[in-house]
Amino acid sequence: MNNLTPFHLAIPVSDLKKCRKFYAETLNCPEGRSSEKWVDFDFFGHQLVIHEKSGEHQSEKPIANPVDGHDVPVPHFGVVLDWDTWTALAERMKAIKTQFVIEPYVRFEGEVGEQATMFFLDPEGNALEFKAFKDINQLFAS
């Protein structure tokens, strides 16, 4: 599990200012390079770029798939954190009254792949998942 290389993800947003504030202040992601139309963030060691979209863009109807009794939004993105970092983030998000899609909880408890997870939306409606594994070596276990 060591030596993972950072991923790069670019997502469209219509309100660059609002999303910039969310990722910088709500999630505490350090800002990197930017222009009038895009902003780079250090998203927990990975590169996330928000790009301002122009004009009318039709958004697809959101879908969800059932996982452990919850409707998981698709698409979504996020990051696997260590247990203590996930717990601190979950507590911070609760404290600021985040509206969760899926409240923080432990799924697959006592099973292979036991993990803490939570889902919430950014200001553009992009679904984010943050998770932590009791045993990180089970990240890809089946």
Side-chain angles (χ1 to χ4, degrees):
M1 286 307 310
N2 293 336
N3 301 321
L4 287 177
T5 56
F7 70 78
H8 164 82
L9 177 66
I11 60 172
V13 300
S14 57
D15 190 333
L16 191 67
K17 183 178 178 181
K18 188 181 224 180
C19 289
R20 181 182 227 160
K21 182 176 179 178
F22 173 81
Y23 285 99
E25 296 178 16
T26 303
L27 294 180
N28 294 328
C29 295
E31 189 174 311
R33 294 176 307 278
S34 66
S35 79
E36 292 180 14
K37 297 289 185 183
W38 55 267
V39 183
D40 279 350
F41 288 100
D42 175 346
F43 186 74
F44 301 87
H46 303 279
Q47 185 187 40
L48 173 67
V49 186
I50 57 173
H51 286 271
E52 185 175 59
K53 62 183 176 183
S54 59
E56 294 295 320
H57 292 271
Q58 275 195 347
S59 54
E60 294 181 22
K61 183 178 177 183
I63 62 168
N65 283 324
V67 177
D68 193 38
H70 291 87
D71 289 331
V72 170
V74 178
H76 66 264
F77 70 96
V79 67
V80 178
L81 304 170
D82 66 62
W83 201 269
D84 291 340
T85 303
W86 183 90
T87 300
L89 178 61
E91 291 304 317
R92 191 169 82 241
M93 299 310 286
K94 287 179 194 176
I96 64 170
K97 309 272 191 257
T98 298
Q99 183 175 351
F100 292 97
V101 175
I102 297 176
E103 296 272 342
Y105 83 106
V106 176
R107 71 165 75 143
F108 311 128
E109 199 161 0
E111 299 177 28
V112 172
E114 179 176 346
Q115 60 194 263
T117 188
M118 64 180 144
F119 286 81
F120 51 87
L121 305 177
D122 76 3
E124 294 286 327
N126 296 302
L128 297 136
E129 178 184 19
F130 291 87
K131 60 170 64 177
F133 283 78
K134 276 289 190 185
D135 179 354
I136 191 61
N137 294 313
Q138 294 183 354
L139 179 63
F140 299 109
S142 55

